[in-house]
Amino acid sequence: MTGKLIFKMEMFKFKNDKKYLMTAGIIGVLNTILALMVINMDVMNYYDYGMLGTVIGFYFMLMLGNIIFMFFYPFHVLSMDYKNNVIATMIASGVNRTKLFVSKIGAIIVNTIMIGLITTFVPFVLLMLKATYEAGFGIFFEEILGFFQIVDIDFISLMLMGLTSYLGMIMMMTAASTILKGGNLSFLLFIGFSMATSIATGILSSITTAFDLYGTGLIVYNIFINLIIIAVFGYLGLSAIKKQNL
Amino acid sequence: MIEINELLMTYGTNEVLNIRSLSLDEGVSYGIVGHNGAGKTTLFKCITNIIMTYRGSIKIMGENVKERNEILTNVGLVLDGMSVYTNQTGWFNIQYFAGLRGDYNEERVRQLAADLDLYGVLDQKVKTYSYGMQKKLILLIALIHTPKILILDEPFRGLDIDTVRWFKDYLKQLTKEGLTLLISSHVINDLEELCDEVYVVDRGRISEHIDLKTEKARQYRLIDTTNNTRLIEILEENIIPFEMKDERIKLDIDSAKWGTVYQQLQNEGIEINEMSRVKVLEEKLN
């Protein structure tokens, strides 16, 4: 049984998770409606307080919904096997625990990206069209790149930092969920991990001051910290699943 | 086929399993029996890596299961309390678990589903299934890949008579083809019908090994007469071993010898109040 096969079946599970795909679809539609509202802001009557209040309220509710869903989805994927008591059946079928752990993380990353695309792709395209409509496509991107040059930040490093930060978060979620066997308290443990990590990185931040790091240097430092977080929580999660009685 | 050495499993200070050595051969059917909490299910869970915190070694086909979990693709397992994705359909679960092993054979699935009378409900969500139907589905999943070893914990509980009949015949056919079967059951008739050997587990230890080929037919008599004292004298005169059990006389003798004793009782006008036959195996298992 290869890791590729386990990953393939995780994706098969994702495709059949209709309830969550539908929820993602609904959030995507609501995001699109919000994007259309934002695009038409210039024709809105700002003295119509009722309308304005509705738009602002809708905006905050929807953002909250997006955040909850994006956090909840990885937890749902991670805890599904434990909650259904299926993980024992999987292990007894010959699934290697290490391969299961790695494949699951891979599947969560791919699935979360896909869910992110479902919920934000259309609104993002609409907003980009609006942004580039007046100034033109080339000028719009020149302005963005110009901004990065001014603040001395390498765009690729910034992307890498975002990616490693996201992976670190997934590792923390996976470790929390694995240690508590998908229990409802996993989320609290994840918050605990996040707080502990914040304290540790806060203490380590003196390094940035000592070396006078800023711009791209600061980003490289953060990437390094994120890699340590990935390694620590990856090890914690893997150790837990390898020794766990199911 | 399965080699267990120095297996020790504890929960805190409570010793759940302590098996020095157990060797299970290919193509043999083994019954694992014992009281509730004796350690049967824990043993099955250790063999299939569901429990990992044991000491000692378990080898399947020469491979240590802790180190090479993949060897379990040769094993089919049905445990009480095992589950599948209940929010999904039967088909989904079959495709998922067969897919994990990489050997999904739809034709075989259809045949097994038809034999288990499950075919008509495979499109429905598992949470709508009865206990027996869920058990049939787990059974089907365990059988899809034609395992070399089949581990069944109380497999017939919750199944209808027709399915039990079919399943027993199917198991007999598989064992003829070389399947190694480990089955736990409290029903002696099931064990007698399916097993070659039985291991009795008592407080985590193997307390007895019974070869059913020799022990199956053995029975003893429990007798109560109008004059038990005289019966004991007759037995002593004829040098027939006996023992007292619940104020009755327990005799482990063949029909010919019993005929002699019975004749003597008749001649002396001693009447039999009660006589029952108990299988030797049944006594050992209770």
Side-chain angles (χ1 to χ4, degrees):
Chain A
M1 193 176 295
T2 61
K4 199 175 152 189
L5 207 56
I6 302 168
F7 178 77
K8 190 179 147 192
M9 295 325 291
E10 285 295 316
M11 296 311 291
F12 173 71
K13 208 157 57 184
F14 168 74
K15 269 196 317 192
N16 283 276
D17 201 349
K18 293 193 176 76
K19 212 190 281 178
Y20 273 83
L21 288 175
M22 268 171 67
T23 311
I26 291 166
I27 291 179
V29 170
L30 292 175
N31 281 343
T32 308
I33 294 168
L34 185 68
L36 289 169
M37 280 178 168
V38 171
I39 288 165
N40 292 300
M41 284 282 265
D42 47 353
V43 292
M44 228 174 90
N45 179 4
Y46 290 95
Y47 294 102
D48 184 352
Y49 296 121
M51 178 67 182
L52 194 64
T54 307
V55 172
I56 293 170
F58 180 53
Y59 172 79
F60 281 109
M61 290 299 285
L62 193 55
M63 284 305 112
L64 192 67
N66 274 284
I67 291 165
I68 290 172
F69 187 69
M70 290 310 279
F71 267 94
F72 192 69
Y73 185 75
F75 271 111
H76 160 71
V77 174
L78 286 163
S79 62
M80 190 163 42
D81 296 339
Y82 281 112
K83 282 189 174 166
N84 279 288
N85 199 18
V86 170
I87 200 149
T89 315
M90 290 165 78
I91 299 299
S93 304
V95 172
N96 180 297
R97 290 177 184 231
T98 307
K99 284 179 186 169
L100 176 68
F101 184 79
V102 175
S103 305
K104 226 172 203 343
I105 288 169
I108 288 166
I109 292 167
V110 175
N111 292 350
T112 314
I113 289 169
M114 289 217 255
I115 288 282
L117 282 175
I118 294 171
T119 54
T120 61
F121 182 72
V122 176
F124 177 76
V125 169
L126 286 174
L127 290 172
M128 286 300 282
L129 282 174
K130 170 72 178 173
T132 56
Y133 179 70
E134 282 157 11
F137 194 77
I139 294 169
F140 177 75
F141 279 99
E142 265 174 34
E143 279 177 6
I144 288 177
L145 289 173
F147 168 76
F148 281 112
Q149 275 173 355
I150 291 165
V151 293
D152 186 24
I153 289 174
D154 177 29
F155 184 70
I156 294 169
S157 305
L158 190 69
M159 292 290 284
L160 260 176
M161 190 182 80
L163 183 71
T164 51
S165 166
Y166 167 70
L167 282 176
M169 191 190 75
I170 294 286
M171 282 300 184
M172 271 193 241
M173 284 179 174
T174 311
S177 202
T178 308
I179 290 166
L180 292 182
K181 294 184 179 176
N184 293 333
L185 292 177
S186 305
F187 190 72
L188 287 182
L189 184 60
F190 164 68
I191 291 172
F193 281 159
S194 306
M195 284 166 71
T197 310
S198 301
I199 293 167
T201 50
I203 294 165
L204 288 172
S205 66
S206 56
I207 295 170
T208 57
T209 321
F211 287 92
D212 195 21
L213 292 175
Y214 65 94
T216 303
L218 191 61
I219 286 176
V220 171
Y221 162 80
N222 279 321
I223 290 171
F224 180 70
I225 293 291
N226 287 340
L227 289 176
I228 292 172
I229 290 169
I230 291 168
V232 169
F233 288 101
Y235 175 76
L236 270 179
L238 191 57
S239 304
I241 201 170
K242 278 174 100 169
K243 290 177 194 157
Q244 218 160 45
N245 291 339
L246 303 164
Chain B
M1 200 69 163
I2 302 177
E3 292 283 337
I4 297 172
N5 281 302
E6 304 294 338
L7 176 64
L8 180 68
M9 171 67 201
T10 53
Y11 286 126
T13 53
N14 185 22
E15 193 178 276
V16 186
L17 268 183
N18 188 345
I19 298 174
R20 293 213 162 179
S21 176
L22 179 65
S23 180
L24 306 173
D25 297 328
E26 187 178 350
V28 180
S29 304
Y30 296 94
I32 307 288
V33 298
H35 296 293
N36 293 332
K40 305 177 301 276
T41 307
T42 308
L43 172 64
F44 291 162
K45 286 184 173 178
C46 287
I47 293 174
T48 51
N49 262 0
I50 292 173
I51 285 178
M52 292 288 277
T53 53
Y54 63 83
R55 275 192 267 163
S57 89
I58 299 174
K59 287 183 179 175
I60 294 178
M61 297 157 82
E63 302 269 9
N64 190 316
V65 276
K66 248 190 194 177
E67 288 158 14
R68 234 182 81 76
N69 194 84
E70 286 86 347
I71 199 71
L72 290 171
T73 48
N74 296 294
V75 178
L77 174 72
V78 177
L79 288 183
D80 234 17
M82 249 172 118
S83 192
V84 291
Y85 294 105
T86 49
N87 276 326
Q88 298 286 358
T89 64
W91 272 120
F92 169 87
N93 280 287
I94 290 166
Q95 285 174 318
Y96 179 77
F97 286 103
L100 275 177
R101 289 188 171 110
D103 59 1
Y104 178 62
N105 179 341
E106 191 161 328
E107 201 176 317
R108 180 167 165 73
V109 170
R110 284 179 196 278
Q111 184 58 53
L112 279 171
D115 291 337
L116 284 162
D117 194 22
L118 204 61
Y119 193 73
V121 295
L122 287 180
D123 285 325
Q124 292 172 23
K125 285 194 175 179
V126 177
K127 65 182 174 190
T128 64
Y129 289 15
S130 66
Y131 172 80
M133 281 154 72
Q134 285 200 29
K135 192 152 191 174
K136 282 183 191 180
L137 180 65
I138 291 170
L139 199 57
L140 194 157
I141 289 168
L143 294 172
I144 296 170
H145 62 298
T146 327
K148 292 188 175 75
I149 300 165
L150 196 54
I151 299 175
L152 308 169
D153 189 11
E154 292 290 344
F156 307 119
R157 192 157 61 195
L159 297 182
D160 54 78
I161 295 166
D162 288 343
T163 308
V164 169
R165 190 68 268 150
W166 171 85
F167 190 36
K168 281 183 179 174
D169 290 341
Y170 188 68
L171 286 176
K172 284 177 198 167
Q173 183 199 321
L174 288 178
T175 46
K176 270 183 203 163
E177 291 166 9
L179 173 91
T180 304
L181 178 68
L182 264 83
I183 182 167
S184 117
S185 175
H186 289 107
V187 184
I188 287 158
N189 287 343
D190 293 344
L191 296 169
E192 283 188 338
E193 195 176 344
L194 293 168
C195 300
D196 304 311
E197 296 175 32
V198 167
Y199 282 99
V200 183
V201 182
D202 182 24
R203 277 166 286 182
R205 292 162 192 258
I206 301 286
S207 62
E208 196 154 359
H209 172 242
I210 304 163
D211 189 343
L212 284 183
K213 287 175 211 118
T214 54
E215 297 275 359
K216 201 187 296 191
R218 276 183 61 199
Q219 292 181 334
Y220 65 78
R221 290 171 169 83
L222 270 180
I223 304 164
D224 182 38
T225 66
T226 50
N227 189 346
N228 280 348
T229 315
R230 179 60 194 138
L231 174 57
I232 290 169
E233 286 170 5
I234 294 169
L235 292 171
E236 284 171 344
E237 283 161 17
N238 289 285
I239 320 167
I240 294 170
F242 69 92
E243 59 183 272
M244 296 303 292
K245 190 177 169 138
D246 304 330
E247 294 179 4
R248 288 179 292 175
I249 296 158
K250 181 182 160 188
L251 284 177
D252 188 4
I253 53 172
D254 59 32
S255 299
K257 272 188 183 170
W258 168 245
T260 315
V261 174
Y262 182 70
Q263 192 59 54
Q264 213 164 334
L265 289 174
Q266 290 277 301
N267 295 341
E268 294 185 23
I270 299 168
E271 287 176 16
I272 292 170
N273 294 331
E274 186 193 341
M275 184 171 80
S276 56
R277 286 171 181 239
V278 179
K279 287 180 178 173
V280 173
L281 177 67
E282 200 171 313
E283 193 196 40
K284 283 183 177 178
L285 301 186
N286 285 320

